[in-house]
Amino acid sequence: MINGKDSGRIYSAMTYSPFVERLPGVPGWFYYGVHAVEPLLARMGGDCVDVRCTVSEEYGPVAIGTWSDGRNGIAKATCKSTNDYGFVVWTEKGVHYATLDKSKVYHGLYRELISFFRTGVSPLAINETLKVMSFMEAANTSMYNGGRTETLAL
């Protein structure tokens, strides 16, 4: 399902978000880059096996993941241009595009946070969170090692 419609099998996806790496103690993808990685894994599934990341100091990094079934997905984090969030997904029923309405993003986030604090139940399964973190860790390692392909820890 993409945008509430049956999209069929997902072949590939590209997600994008702003990127700021200059926060001390928070390396690379773990700051704003998470906003490109989490929706990529949400659309493609959590079975990404490896990632390689190239970076332009001026324009930001691009991480390309390979999934266990051979599909690939791209997380693009932008240092320039606008501070938009969005995705493109290629499926058996077409190509789907979306730019997120930033005025509505925080409302949903706050609703989930309030629910979490009230119930103690996370809106994301811990395994999904760990896979997102594993992707970002591998992307950071690749980025700092010249784009070498890195295997995800999970």
Side-chain angles (χ1 to χ4, degrees):
M1 285 279 226
I2 298 174
N3 297 331
K5 298 175 186 169
D6 177 20
S7 59
R9 187 176 191 295
I10 294 176
Y11 297 136
S12 186
M14 181 184 77
T15 56
Y16 57 91
S17 73
F19 184 79
V20 179
E21 187 185 7
R22 287 144 186 87
L23 187 66
V26 183
W29 287 91
F30 282 95
Y31 191 43
Y32 267 88
V34 67
H35 300 302
V37 174
E38 190 278 330
L40 178 65
L41 272 67
R43 279 153 186 80
M44 296 286 291
D47 59 335
C48 183
V49 294
D50 64 44
V51 65
R52 63 189 179 283
C53 181
T54 61
V55 64
S56 159
E57 290 299 321
E58 188 172 356
Y59 299 105
V62 177
I64 302 171
T66 304
W67 270 250
S68 62
D69 60 3
R71 297 176 302 146
N72 58 35
I74 302 166
K76 170 66 180 129
T78 59
C79 290
K80 293 203 173 208
S81 186
T82 64
N83 288 324
D84 288 332
Y85 303 83
F87 63 84
V88 179
V89 180
W90 292 267
T91 75
E92 66 183 344
K93 294 186 177 182
V95 180
H96 308 271
Y97 306 85
T99 299
L100 302 181
D101 181 348
K102 290 183 280 192
S103 70
K104 296 179 181 176
V105 170
Y106 288 107
H107 176 72
L109 175 63
Y110 293 143
R111 185 179 58 244
E112 294 296 332
L113 281 170
I114 290 168
S115 175
F116 171 70
F117 288 130
R118 286 184 177 156
T119 66
V121 177
S122 173
L124 285 176
I126 189 66
N127 196 41
E128 291 178 47
T129 301
L130 292 172
K131 288 179 181 184
V132 168
M133 294 175 71
S134 181
F135 184 102
M136 291 187 299
E137 185 65 34
N140 280 344
T141 301
S142 175
M143 181 169 61
Y144 300 136
N145 288 309
R148 180 181 70 207
T149 299
E150 298 289 334
T151 302
L152 274 67
L154 293 176

